[in-house]
Amino acid sequence: MKEFQLIEQFFRDKGQKRRDVHLGIGDDCALVQPAENKSIAISCDTLVENIHFLPSMPAHELGYKSVAVNLSDLAAMGADPAWMTLALTLPDVDNDWLQQFSEGLFEAAEYYSVSLIGGDTTRGPRSINITIHGQVPTGKALTRGGAKIGDWIYVTGTLGDSALGLDILLGKQDVDPQFKEFLINRHYHPTPRILAGQALRSLATSAIDLSDGLNSDIVHILKASNVGAVVDVNELPVSTSLVGSVGPEQAINYALTGGEDYELLFTVPEAQRGALDTALIHAGVKFVKIGQICAGDKLRLVSNGEPFELDLKSFEHF
C-alpha cells in the first residue's frame, strides 16, 4: 500500500467534522478559521516505540493515548481543543494495526471535538507525532508563570497509577488481579482534564499537566513564577488500587515521581477557593489541596511537619 492509499483508507474524511475547517486533508496545507477574540494554543508531542510505548501496546490504546497526551497540554492552558495534524512513521504497512490505531485515535478526537486536518506518513522506526491546536479567549490562557506567595496548590484526580501500570507491564511489579486492569488502563488510557482547564481560566494563577511526575513538574511552575512551595505528601491523592498494590509508603513515591498521570497541577489564591469548589464540581473533576506557594525558589516536601526524602527518581521521557 502506498502513502496516499494509506491516508485515504485510514485517515481522510474520518472523525470530527468541524465548521471552522475550511480545507482539511488532501492539499498542501489545511485551512482553518479561528474564532474571533481567541488565541491559538499549539502543542506537539512525539511518541517513539521502546521509548514512550512498548511494542506490545495495543494499537487502539496507542492511537487514543497519542491524542490524549496532547489534549492534556491544551487542558493545562485552559484551551478548547480544535484541530490536529498527525505524522506517522511505520516500519511497514500493517492493515490490522492501522485499523485499530486509527479507531483509537478518532475515538479520542471525536470525544473532544478535534478534527484531523493533515499530516504525513513515512517509513522508519514506529513513532507518532501529533501537533494539536486549541483556542482560548484572548488574555485568559493559563501559564506556568503566575503563581504567587500564599496561593494554594491543587491537583486533579489520583497520582501514580500510570507509573505502576507501566511497571506491571514491564514485569517489575506483580499486583493483585483485582487492581491490575485499573492500573494498566490508567497507563494506556489517560484522561485529559479539558473541562477542568476551562473552568480554571479565571480562577487559577498557574497550571501545568503532570507528565514527568509531580516532583519534577511542579518545579517548572516554581521557576517560571520565581517562588517556592511546600507540599505535604500525606495529602497526595492516591487510589485504592495503588495503595492496595504497593502499600502507603511506596504509593507516596509513585505519586510524587510516577510519570504520565496527565492530571492538572494548579495554584489558586485564597480569595478564589470558594469559586474553585463550585467550578470543578460542575466540571465533574475531583481535586485536592496538597500544599502552598511560599517565598524562596525551592520545593520542600514534608510529612507530619518533618522533611520527606524520596526513594525514587522522576520519570524520564528521553
Side-chain angles (χ1 to χ4, degrees), residues 159-167 172-173 212-217 233 236 238 242 246-259 261 299 301 308-316:
L159 307 180
D161 299 321
S162 175
L164 181 53
L166 176 59
D167 278 351
K172 295 180 178 180
Q173 292 279 10
D212 296 333
L214 187 150
N215 188 59
S216 290
D217 287 325
V233 299
L236 298 179
V238 290
L242 183 65
V246 298
E249 291 186 6
Q250 197 172 0
I252 289 175
N253 281 288
Y254 270 106
L256 283 168
T257 64
D261 286 313
L299 169 64
L301 303 175
F308 178 84
E309 297 294 332
L310 277 174
D311 293 331
L312 299 174
K313 295 181 180 180
S314 295
F315 184 79
E316 294 278 352

mmCIF file of all heavy atoms in Angstrom, residues 159-167 172-173 212-217 233 236 238 242 246-259 261 299 301 308-316:
data_model
loop_
_atom_site.group_PDB
_atom_site.id
_atom_site.type_symbol
_atom_site.label_atom_id
_atom_site.label_comp_id
_atom_site.label_asym_id
_atom_site.label_seq_id
_atom_site.Cartn_x
_atom_site.Cartn_y
_atom_site.Cartn_z
ATOM 1 N N LEU A 159 -2.786 10.198 41.641
ATOM 2 C CA LEU A 159 -1.434 10.202 41.088
ATOM 3 C C LEU A 159 -0.756 8.845 41.279
ATOM 4 O O LEU A 159 -1.004 8.158 42.262
ATOM 5 C CB LEU A 159 -0.594 11.285 41.767
ATOM 6 C CG LEU A 159 -1.168 12.706 41.773
ATOM 7 C CD1 LEU A 159 -0.215 13.654 42.479
ATOM 8 C CD2 LEU A 159 -1.466 13.182 40.356
ATOM 9 N N GLY A 160 0.118 8.505 40.351
ATOM 10 C CA GLY A 160 0.952 7.315 40.476
ATOM 11 C C GLY A 160 0.417 6.060 39.820
ATOM 12 O O GLY A 160 1.162 5.086 39.647
ATOM 13 N N ASP A 161 -0.854 6.054 39.436
ATOM 14 C CA ASP A 161 -1.453 4.843 38.874
ATOM 15 C C ASP A 161 -0.803 4.424 37.554
ATOM 16 O O ASP A 161 -0.535 3.248 37.320
ATOM 17 C CB ASP A 161 -2.953 5.050 38.648
ATOM 18 C CG ASP A 161 -3.704 5.358 39.920
ATOM 19 O OD1 ASP A 161 -3.377 4.751 40.959
ATOM 20 O OD2 ASP A 161 -4.622 6.206 39.886
ATOM 21 N N SER A 162 -0.563 5.409 36.684
ATOM 22 C CA SER A 162 0.010 5.104 35.370
ATOM 23 C C SER A 162 1.402 4.497 35.496
ATOM 24 O O SER A 162 1.741 3.540 34.793
ATOM 25 C CB SER A 162 0.068 6.371 34.517
ATOM 26 O OG SER A 162 0.718 6.121 33.294
ATOM 27 N N ALA A 163 2.216 5.043 36.396
ATOM 28 C CA ALA A 163 3.581 4.533 36.562
ATOM 29 C C ALA A 163 3.574 3.095 37.060
ATOM 30 O O ALA A 163 4.378 2.264 36.609
ATOM 31 C CB ALA A 163 4.358 5.425 37.525
ATOM 32 N N LEU A 164 2.679 2.789 37.986
ATOM 33 C CA LEU A 164 2.589 1.411 38.448
ATOM 34 C C LEU A 164 2.046 0.518 37.340
ATOM 35 O O LEU A 164 2.497 -0.626 37.187
ATOM 36 C CB LEU A 164 1.700 1.314 39.695
ATOM 37 C CG LEU A 164 1.538 -0.089 40.284
ATOM 38 C CD1 LEU A 164 2.880 -0.759 40.545
ATOM 39 C CD2 LEU A 164 0.704 -0.049 41.561
ATOM 40 N N GLY A 165 1.115 1.014 36.553
ATOM 41 C CA GLY A 165 0.623 0.240 35.412
ATOM 42 C C GLY A 165 1.747 -0.123 34.462
ATOM 43 O O GLY A 165 1.820 -1.256 33.970
ATOM 44 N N LEU A 166 2.646 0.833 34.200
ATOM 45 C CA LEU A 166 3.792 0.548 33.338
ATOM 46 C C LEU A 166 4.713 -0.487 33.973
ATOM 47 O O LEU A 166 5.194 -1.404 33.294
ATOM 48 C CB LEU A 166 4.567 1.837 33.060
ATOM 49 C CG LEU A 166 5.851 1.687 32.241
ATOM 50 C CD1 LEU A 166 5.570 1.078 30.875
ATOM 51 C CD2 LEU A 166 6.550 3.033 32.092
ATOM 52 N N ASP A 167 4.956 -0.360 35.267
ATOM 53 C CA ASP A 167 5.821 -1.334 35.940
ATOM 54 C C ASP A 167 5.221 -2.739 35.899
ATOM 55 O O ASP A 167 5.949 -3.735 35.825
ATOM 56 C CB ASP A 167 6.065 -0.907 37.389
ATOM 57 C CG ASP A 167 7.169 0.138 37.507
ATOM 58 O OD1 ASP A 167 7.853 0.395 36.502
ATOM 59 O OD2 ASP A 167 7.340 0.693 38.607
ATOM 60 N N LYS A 172 7.985 -5.511 36.474
ATOM 61 C CA LYS A 172 8.691 -5.048 37.671
ATOM 62 C C LYS A 172 7.830 -5.154 38.928
ATOM 63 O O LYS A 172 8.357 -5.125 40.042
ATOM 64 C CB LYS A 172 9.138 -3.597 37.489
ATOM 65 C CG LYS A 172 10.174 -3.397 36.401
ATOM 66 C CD LYS A 172 10.557 -1.925 36.292
ATOM 67 C CE LYS A 172 11.621 -1.704 35.235
ATOM 68 N NZ LYS A 172 12.001 -0.264 35.138
ATOM 69 N N GLN A 173 6.523 -5.221 38.743
ATOM 70 C CA GLN A 173 5.608 -5.336 39.871
ATOM 71 C C GLN A 173 4.571 -6.407 39.575
ATOM 72 O O GLN A 173 4.105 -6.547 38.431
ATOM 73 C CB GLN A 173 4.885 -4.005 40.140
ATOM 74 C CG GLN A 173 5.768 -2.880 40.653
ATOM 75 C CD GLN A 173 6.032 -2.983 42.150
ATOM 76 O OE1 GLN A 173 5.717 -3.990 42.778
ATOM 77 N NE2 GLN A 173 6.602 -1.930 42.714
ATOM 78 N N ASP A 212 5.752 14.231 33.776
ATOM 79 C CA ASP A 212 7.032 13.694 34.243
ATOM 80 C C ASP A 212 7.039 13.351 35.724
ATOM 81 O O ASP A 212 8.051 12.909 36.256
ATOM 82 C CB ASP A 212 8.150 14.707 33.983
ATOM 83 C CG ASP A 212 8.354 14.965 32.504
ATOM 84 O OD1 ASP A 212 8.042 14.070 31.699
ATOM 85 O OD2 ASP A 212 8.818 16.058 32.153
ATOM 86 N N GLY A 213 5.920 13.555 36.402
ATOM 87 C CA GLY A 213 5.846 13.323 37.845
ATOM 88 C C GLY A 213 5.734 14.633 38.591
ATOM 89 O O GLY A 213 6.379 15.631 38.236
ATOM 90 N N LEU A 214 4.930 14.656 39.639
ATOM 91 C CA LEU A 214 4.684 15.883 40.384
ATOM 92 C C LEU A 214 5.974 16.510 40.877
ATOM 93 O O LEU A 214 6.160 17.735 40.817
ATOM 94 C CB LEU A 214 3.742 15.593 41.557
ATOM 95 C CG LEU A 214 3.238 16.787 42.364
ATOM 96 C CD1 LEU A 214 1.864 16.501 42.936
ATOM 97 C CD2 LEU A 214 4.189 17.151 43.507
ATOM 98 N N ASN A 215 6.886 15.708 41.390
ATOM 99 C CA ASN A 215 8.123 16.228 41.960
ATOM 100 C C ASN A 215 8.939 17.017 40.950
ATOM 101 O O ASN A 215 9.624 17.986 41.308
ATOM 102 C CB ASN A 215 8.961 15.067 42.508
ATOM 103 C CG ASN A 215 10.174 15.535 43.290
ATOM 104 O OD1 ASN A 215 10.049 16.244 44.274
ATOM 105 N ND2 ASN A 215 11.354 15.134 42.844
ATOM 106 N N SER A 216 8.876 16.635 39.676
ATOM 107 C CA SER A 216 9.590 17.353 38.620
ATOM 108 C C SER A 216 8.761 18.486 38.036
ATOM 109 O O SER A 216 9.255 19.599 37.828
ATOM 110 C CB SER A 216 9.986 16.401 37.487
ATOM 111 O OG SER A 216 10.993 15.516 37.893
ATOM 112 N N ASP A 217 7.484 18.216 37.764
ATOM 113 C CA ASP A 217 6.667 19.199 37.051
ATOM 114 C C ASP A 217 6.374 20.445 37.872
ATOM 115 O O ASP A 217 6.299 21.546 37.325
ATOM 116 C CB ASP A 217 5.356 18.549 36.588
ATOM 117 C CG ASP A 217 5.572 17.598 35.423
ATOM 118 O OD1 ASP A 217 6.445 17.890 34.581
ATOM 119 O OD2 ASP A 217 4.884 16.569 35.351
ATOM 120 N N VAL A 233 3.140 15.463 51.648
ATOM 121 C CA VAL A 233 2.984 14.210 50.910
ATOM 122 C C VAL A 233 1.809 13.378 51.413
ATOM 123 O O VAL A 233 1.286 12.526 50.683
ATOM 124 C CB VAL A 233 4.275 13.379 50.954
ATOM 125 C CG1 VAL A 233 5.434 14.136 50.325
ATOM 126 C CG2 VAL A 233 4.611 12.937 52.368
ATOM 127 N N LEU A 236 -1.348 13.869 49.200
ATOM 128 C CA LEU A 236 -1.373 13.470 47.794
ATOM 129 C C LEU A 236 -2.515 12.488 47.546
ATOM 130 O O LEU A 236 -2.682 11.515 48.292
ATOM 131 C CB LEU A 236 -0.040 12.832 47.399
ATOM 132 C CG LEU A 236 1.196 13.728 47.504
ATOM 133 C CD1 LEU A 236 2.433 12.944 47.102
ATOM 134 C CD2 LEU A 236 1.046 14.965 46.644
ATOM 135 N N VAL A 238 -4.147 9.388 46.226
ATOM 136 C CA VAL A 238 -3.738 8.084 45.704
ATOM 137 C C VAL A 238 -4.943 7.156 45.689
ATOM 138 O O VAL A 238 -5.806 7.215 46.556
ATOM 139 C CB VAL A 238 -2.587 7.465 46.526
ATOM 140 C CG1 VAL A 238 -1.306 8.248 46.299
ATOM 141 C CG2 VAL A 238 -2.919 7.435 48.011
ATOM 142 N N LEU A 242 -3.688 1.682 43.931
ATOM 143 C CA LEU A 242 -2.271 1.938 44.133
ATOM 144 C C LEU A 242 -1.842 1.527 45.539
ATOM 145 O O LEU A 242 -0.867 0.790 45.717
ATOM 146 C CB LEU A 242 -1.971 3.419 43.895
ATOM 147 C CG LEU A 242 -0.506 3.839 44.011
ATOM 148 C CD1 LEU A 242 0.339 3.182 42.926
ATOM 149 C CD2 LEU A 242 -0.366 5.362 43.943
ATOM 150 N N VAL A 246 0.872 -1.607 46.500
ATOM 151 C CA VAL A 246 2.270 -1.399 46.932
ATOM 152 C C VAL A 246 2.392 -0.877 48.357
ATOM 153 O O VAL A 246 3.513 -0.711 48.851
ATOM 154 C CB VAL A 246 2.990 -0.421 45.968
ATOM 155 C CG1 VAL A 246 3.042 -0.997 44.563
ATOM 156 C CG2 VAL A 246 2.327 0.958 45.975
ATOM 157 N N GLY A 247 1.260 -0.599 49.028
ATOM 158 C CA GLY A 247 1.319 -0.075 50.387
ATOM 159 C C GLY A 247 1.409 1.441 50.399
ATOM 160 O O GLY A 247 1.778 2.064 49.395
ATOM 161 N N PRO A 248 1.090 2.078 51.512
ATOM 162 C CA PRO A 248 1.014 3.542 51.574
ATOM 163 C C PRO A 248 2.336 4.253 51.353
ATOM 164 O O PRO A 248 2.365 5.322 50.735
ATOM 165 C CB PRO A 248 0.455 3.814 52.980
ATOM 166 C CG PRO A 248 0.704 2.559 53.753
ATOM 167 C CD PRO A 248 0.652 1.447 52.770
ATOM 168 N N GLU A 249 3.447 3.710 51.843
ATOM 169 C CA GLU A 249 4.722 4.412 51.713
ATOM 170 C C GLU A 249 5.187 4.444 50.258
ATOM 171 O O GLU A 249 5.591 5.488 49.735
ATOM 172 C CB GLU A 249 5.773 3.761 52.594
ATOM 173 C CG GLU A 249 5.526 3.962 54.089
ATOM 174 C CD GLU A 249 6.667 3.417 54.931
ATOM 175 O OE1 GLU A 249 7.700 2.990 54.344
ATOM 176 O OE2 GLU A 249 6.523 3.409 56.163
ATOM 177 N N GLN A 250 5.156 3.281 49.598
ATOM 178 C CA GLN A 250 5.581 3.250 48.200
ATOM 179 C C GLN A 250 4.584 3.989 47.314
ATOM 180 O O GLN A 250 4.956 4.543 46.274
ATOM 181 C CB GLN A 250 5.763 1.809 47.720
ATOM 182 C CG GLN A 250 6.597 1.725 46.439
ATOM 183 C CD GLN A 250 6.943 0.299 46.058
ATOM 184 O OE1 GLN A 250 6.576 -0.645 46.742
ATOM 185 N NE2 GLN A 250 7.653 0.134 44.956
ATOM 186 N N ALA A 251 3.306 4.009 47.713
ATOM 187 C CA ALA A 251 2.303 4.751 46.951
ATOM 188 C C ALA A 251 2.665 6.232 46.891
ATOM 189 O O ALA A 251 2.476 6.893 45.858
ATOM 190 C CB ALA A 251 0.925 4.559 47.568
ATOM 191 N N ILE A 252 3.171 6.786 47.989
ATOM 192 C CA ILE A 252 3.585 8.187 48.009
ATOM 193 C C ILE A 252 4.714 8.430 47.011
ATOM 194 O O ILE A 252 4.721 9.423 46.276
ATOM 195 C CB ILE A 252 3.999 8.615 49.430
ATOM 196 C CG1 ILE A 252 2.766 8.715 50.329
ATOM 197 C CG2 ILE A 252 4.746 9.948 49.398
ATOM 198 C CD1 ILE A 252 3.088 9.025 51.774
ATOM 199 N N ASN A 253 5.674 7.518 46.953
ATOM 200 C CA ASN A 253 6.768 7.664 45.995
ATOM 201 C C ASN A 253 6.275 7.600 44.552
ATOM 202 O O ASN A 253 6.726 8.370 43.699
ATOM 203 C CB ASN A 253 7.835 6.603 46.250
ATOM 204 C CG ASN A 253 8.735 6.951 47.409
ATOM 205 O OD1 ASN A 253 9.572 7.841 47.316
ATOM 206 N ND2 ASN A 253 8.546 6.270 48.531
ATOM 207 N N TYR A 254 5.366 6.695 44.266
ATOM 208 C CA TYR A 254 4.776 6.644 42.926
ATOM 209 C C TYR A 254 4.028 7.934 42.616
ATOM 210 O O TYR A 254 4.112 8.465 41.497
ATOM 211 C CB TYR A 254 3.823 5.449 42.800
ATOM 212 C CG TYR A 254 4.477 4.184 42.312
ATOM 213 C CD1 TYR A 254 4.725 3.123 43.188
ATOM 214 C CD2 TYR A 254 4.835 4.027 40.978
ATOM 215 C CE1 TYR A 254 5.319 1.949 42.742
ATOM 216 C CE2 TYR A 254 5.423 2.856 40.520
ATOM 217 C CZ TYR A 254 5.669 1.818 41.399
ATOM 218 O OH TYR A 254 6.267 0.661 40.957
ATOM 219 N N ALA A 255 3.287 8.450 43.586
ATOM 220 C CA ALA A 255 2.506 9.667 43.378
ATOM 221 C C ALA A 255 3.408 10.867 43.110
ATOM 222 O O ALA A 255 3.054 11.765 42.338
ATOM 223 C CB ALA A 255 1.614 9.937 44.582
ATOM 224 N N LEU A 256 4.571 10.896 43.722
ATOM 225 C CA LEU A 256 5.487 12.015 43.546
ATOM 226 C C LEU A 256 6.300 11.920 42.262
ATOM 227 O O LEU A 256 6.577 12.934 41.617
ATOM 228 C CB LEU A 256 6.448 12.099 44.736
ATOM 229 C CG LEU A 256 5.900 12.695 46.028
ATOM 230 C CD1 LEU A 256 6.862 12.445 47.173
ATOM 231 C CD2 LEU A 256 5.646 14.190 45.860
ATOM 232 N N THR A 257 6.708 10.727 41.885
ATOM 233 C CA THR A 257 7.670 10.589 40.793
ATOM 234 C C THR A 257 7.120 9.866 39.570
ATOM 235 O O THR A 257 7.759 9.873 38.518
ATOM 236 C CB THR A 257 8.916 9.830 41.278
ATOM 237 O OG1 THR A 257 8.539 8.487 41.637
ATOM 238 C CG2 THR A 257 9.540 10.507 42.479
ATOM 239 N N GLY A 258 5.962 9.240 39.686
ATOM 240 C CA GLY A 258 5.418 8.475 38.569
ATOM 241 C C GLY A 258 5.035 9.386 37.416
ATOM 242 O O GLY A 258 4.369 10.397 37.585
ATOM 243 N N GLY A 259 5.463 9.052 36.212
ATOM 244 C CA GLY A 259 5.147 9.862 35.043
ATOM 245 C C GLY A 259 3.822 9.478 34.414
ATOM 246 O O GLY A 259 3.212 8.457 34.734
ATOM 247 N N ASP A 261 0.755 10.745 34.457
ATOM 248 C CA ASP A 261 -0.560 10.841 35.080
ATOM 249 C C ASP A 261 -1.497 11.701 34.240
ATOM 250 O O ASP A 261 -2.699 11.450 34.185
ATOM 251 C CB ASP A 261 -0.447 11.462 36.479
ATOM 252 C CG ASP A 261 0.139 10.508 37.498
ATOM 253 O OD1 ASP A 261 -0.300 9.345 37.537
ATOM 254 O OD2 ASP A 261 1.041 10.917 38.245
ATOM 255 N N LEU A 299 11.415 23.564 46.297
ATOM 256 C CA LEU A 299 10.291 22.708 46.682
ATOM 257 C C LEU A 299 10.666 21.969 47.955
ATOM 258 O O LEU A 299 11.698 21.306 48.010
ATOM 259 C CB LEU A 299 9.982 21.703 45.574
ATOM 260 C CG LEU A 299 9.005 20.580 45.940
ATOM 261 C CD1 LEU A 299 7.621 21.143 46.262
ATOM 262 C CD2 LEU A 299 8.923 19.550 44.816
ATOM 263 N N LEU A 301 9.267 19.073 50.516
ATOM 264 C CA LEU A 301 8.307 18.008 50.785
ATOM 265 C C LEU A 301 8.305 17.724 52.278
ATOM 266 O O LEU A 301 9.373 17.575 52.886
ATOM 267 C CB LEU A 301 8.677 16.739 50.018
ATOM 268 C CG LEU A 301 8.788 16.868 48.498
ATOM 269 C CD1 LEU A 301 9.281 15.556 47.901
ATOM 270 C CD2 LEU A 301 7.451 17.267 47.881
ATOM 271 N N PHE A 308 10.601 15.267 54.080
ATOM 272 C CA PHE A 308 10.350 13.951 53.495
ATOM 273 C C PHE A 308 11.378 13.695 52.399
ATOM 274 O O PHE A 308 11.602 14.541 51.535
ATOM 275 C CB PHE A 308 8.937 13.893 52.906
ATOM 276 C CG PHE A 308 8.597 12.586 52.244
ATOM 277 C CD1 PHE A 308 8.146 11.514 52.997
ATOM 278 C CD2 PHE A 308 8.743 12.426 50.869
ATOM 279 C CE1 PHE A 308 7.837 10.299 52.386
ATOM 280 C CE2 PHE A 308 8.438 11.223 50.259
ATOM 281 C CZ PHE A 308 7.988 10.156 51.017
ATOM 282 N N GLU A 309 11.994 12.525 52.425
ATOM 283 C CA GLU A 309 13.012 12.160 51.447
ATOM 284 C C GLU A 309 12.446 11.156 50.449
ATOM 285 O O GLU A 309 11.807 10.170 50.834
ATOM 286 C CB GLU A 309 14.239 11.559 52.137
ATOM 287 C CG GLU A 309 14.954 12.522 53.085
ATOM 288 C CD GLU A 309 15.572 13.695 52.362
ATOM 289 O OE1 GLU A 309 15.930 13.530 51.163
ATOM 290 O OE2 GLU A 309 15.681 14.779 52.976
ATOM 291 N N LEU A 310 12.724 11.379 49.170
ATOM 292 C CA LEU A 310 12.256 10.495 48.111
ATOM 293 C C LEU A 310 13.155 9.272 47.963
ATOM 294 O O LEU A 310 14.369 9.350 48.160
ATOM 295 C CB LEU A 310 12.240 11.233 46.775
ATOM 296 C CG LEU A 310 11.013 12.100 46.479
ATOM 297 C CD1 LEU A 310 11.256 12.864 45.196
ATOM 298 C CD2 LEU A 310 9.780 11.244 46.349
ATOM 299 N N ASP A 311 12.533 8.139 47.572
ATOM 300 C CA ASP A 311 13.289 6.923 47.290
ATOM 301 C C ASP A 311 13.454 6.670 45.799
ATOM 302 O O ASP A 311 14.297 5.887 45.384
ATOM 303 C CB ASP A 311 12.583 5.703 47.901
ATOM 304 C CG ASP A 311 12.594 5.744 49.411
ATOM 305 O OD1 ASP A 311 13.528 6.331 49.978
ATOM 306 O OD2 ASP A 311 11.656 5.192 50.026
ATOM 307 N N LEU A 312 12.609 7.327 44.984
ATOM 308 C CA LEU A 312 12.598 7.050 43.550
ATOM 309 C C LEU A 312 12.907 8.310 42.765
ATOM 310 O O LEU A 312 12.646 9.425 43.219
ATOM 311 C CB LEU A 312 11.217 6.523 43.116
ATOM 312 C CG LEU A 312 10.760 5.218 43.763
ATOM 313 C CD1 LEU A 312 9.336 4.908 43.340
ATOM 314 C CD2 LEU A 312 11.675 4.073 43.372
ATOM 315 N N LYS A 313 13.459 8.135 41.563
ATOM 316 C CA LYS A 313 13.698 9.249 40.664
ATOM 317 C C LYS A 313 12.448 9.533 39.838
ATOM 318 O O LYS A 313 11.578 8.683 39.686
ATOM 319 C CB LYS A 313 14.870 8.942 39.736
ATOM 320 C CG LYS A 313 16.207 8.799 40.448
ATOM 321 C CD LYS A 313 17.312 8.528 39.447
ATOM 322 C CE LYS A 313 18.656 8.392 40.162
ATOM 323 N NZ LYS A 313 19.754 8.130 39.205
ATOM 324 N N SER A 314 12.385 10.740 39.288
ATOM 325 C CA SER A 314 11.246 11.112 38.477
ATOM 326 C C SER A 314 11.324 10.459 37.102
ATOM 327 O O SER A 314 12.383 10.033 36.633
ATOM 328 C CB SER A 314 11.180 12.628 38.328
ATOM 329 O OG SER A 314 10.944 13.245 39.578
ATOM 330 N N PHE A 315 10.189 10.430 36.417
ATOM 331 C CA PHE A 315 10.062 9.803 35.114
ATOM 332 C C PHE A 315 10.866 10.576 34.056
ATOM 333 O O PHE A 315 10.907 11.789 34.079
ATOM 334 C CB PHE A 315 8.581 9.779 34.706
ATOM 335 C CG PHE A 315 8.301 9.070 33.425
ATOM 336 C CD1 PHE A 315 8.246 7.683 33.377
ATOM 337 C CD2 PHE A 315 8.079 9.785 32.254
ATOM 338 C CE1 PHE A 315 7.976 7.022 32.192
ATOM 339 C CE2 PHE A 315 7.803 9.134 31.062
ATOM 340 C CZ PHE A 315 7.749 7.746 31.042
ATOM 341 N N GLU A 316 11.510 9.847 33.169
ATOM 342 C CA GLU A 316 12.284 10.474 32.104
ATOM 343 C C GLU A 316 11.698 10.077 30.751
ATOM 344 O O GLU A 316 11.519 8.899 30.459
ATOM 345 C CB GLU A 316 13.752 10.032 32.152
ATOM 346 C CG GLU A 316 14.506 10.504 33.395
ATOM 347 C CD GLU A 316 14.991 11.935 33.271
ATOM 348 O OE1 GLU A 316 14.861 12.504 32.159
ATOM 349 O OE2 GLU A 316 15.494 12.476 34.258
#
